[in-house]
Amino acid sequence: MTAAEVDLAVSTVIFAARGTGPDGRKELWLPLVRRIRDPFRGLWALPGGPLRPDEDLEASAARSLHLTTGLQPGYLEQLYAFGGLTRSADAAERVVSIVYWASIRADQASELHADLNVSWLRAADLPPLAFDHDDIVDYALQRLRNKITYSRVAFSFLGETFTLAELREVHEAILGAPLDPANFRRQALASGAVIDTGTRLEGTRHRPPRLYRYNSTLDLADRAPAGRTPQENR
């Protein structure tokens, strides 16, 4: 097999934390596209497509995502390159996919161009996906769960201002487990990552909760802390 026989594609795993669980708890969802041709006709797959020779990787990810779903994420990061020798359904063709992962706010979920072949699916109970996209989604979830401990990624699921309860709900959706509200509040305030705006959320039944914003002056890097190897961060 020569280099000319290797195709390069770009795909995107995009997450939203939506209040669809019991009592309105947030859950992770992602938009998928149903394949309308072989191979894997009828199965769901990640948005993506071949890399054009006149565009860079990030532009390709954003373009194909918007073309198929109508979504424009505020956060887009390269995840990994998937190029196993057997990942293509056609033995005569090898496809290497550069995968990005992204997030959008819950209030942007309605912008999805949903139809019979494009839909939001709950990350916790996905059906079998086309190609190796099950493995890709699992990898993206693992990376997302690792990153919330040291990066600003959780804030990308929220608006400019938010309550600490909303921030905790995003963490719970990503981790798939409840967190103690008092402990989370202490840790969030001690981290220096949130700033009290001096305003409160109006229209609530009880005492209006305080609104916070992300501390943009804090250098929460999108990289593993010192001492953690790249393999541990995958």
Side-chain angles (χ1 to χ4, degrees), residues 110-127:
S110 61
E111 297 175 8
L112 179 74
H113 292 169
D115 58 28
L116 182 64
N117 296 315
V118 181
S119 181
W120 285 103
L121 278 77
R122 186 182 289 106
D125 51 9
L126 293 177

Side-chain angles (χ1 to χ4, degrees), residues 17-179:
R18 306 172 66 191
T20 56
D23 301 322
R25 289 202 301 268
K26 293 190 186 307
E27 300 175 302
L28 279 186
W29 291 71
L30 64 158
L32 295 173
V33 180
R34 194 193 308 271
R35 289 187 58 81
I36 59 175
R37 62 178 66 89
D38 292 327
F40 302 107
R41 182 193 298 266
L43 293 190
W44 294 100
L46 295 168
L51 176 67
R52 293 178 177 175
D54 60 344
E55 64 184 354
D56 62 28
L57 294 172
E58 186 169 321
S60 177
R63 175 189 56 78
S64 62
L65 181 65
H66 186 260
L67 180 65
T68 54
T69 68
L71 298 173
Q72 293 181 311
Y75 186 96
L76 187 65
E77 177 190 346
Q78 191 173 133
L79 176 68
Y80 199 60
F82 293 80
L85 294 175
T86 61
R87 69 184 303 265
S88 176
D90 186 350
E93 177 186 66
R94 183 181 180 189
V95 179
V96 175
S97 289
I98 307 300
V99 180
Y100 280 76
W101 78 270
S103 63
I104 64 168
R105 303 188 310 271
D107 61 358
Q108 294 176 287
S110 61
E111 297 175 8
L112 179 74
H113 292 169
D115 58 28
L116 182 64
N117 296 315
V118 181
S119 181
W120 285 103
L121 278 77
R122 186 182 289 106
D125 51 9
L126 293 177
L129 304 182
F131 303 103
D132 58 352
H133 292 189
D134 298 275
D135 294 335
I136 294 175
V137 171
D138 288 344
Y139 186 94
L141 284 168
Q142 177 187 348
R143 181 69 180 274
L144 177 60
R145 288 164 181 158
N146 287 340
K147 286 179 69 70
I148 63 169
T149 63
Y150 64 83
S151 80
R152 61 180 182 271
V153 66
F155 299 96
S156 68
F157 288 84
L158 298 165
E160 183 176 350
T161 61
F162 49 84
T163 67
L164 291 183
E166 290 172 331
L167 179 60
R168 172 173 51 82
E169 289 169 357
V170 167
H171 279 251
E172 291 175 335
I174 292 171
L175 295 172
L179 299 172

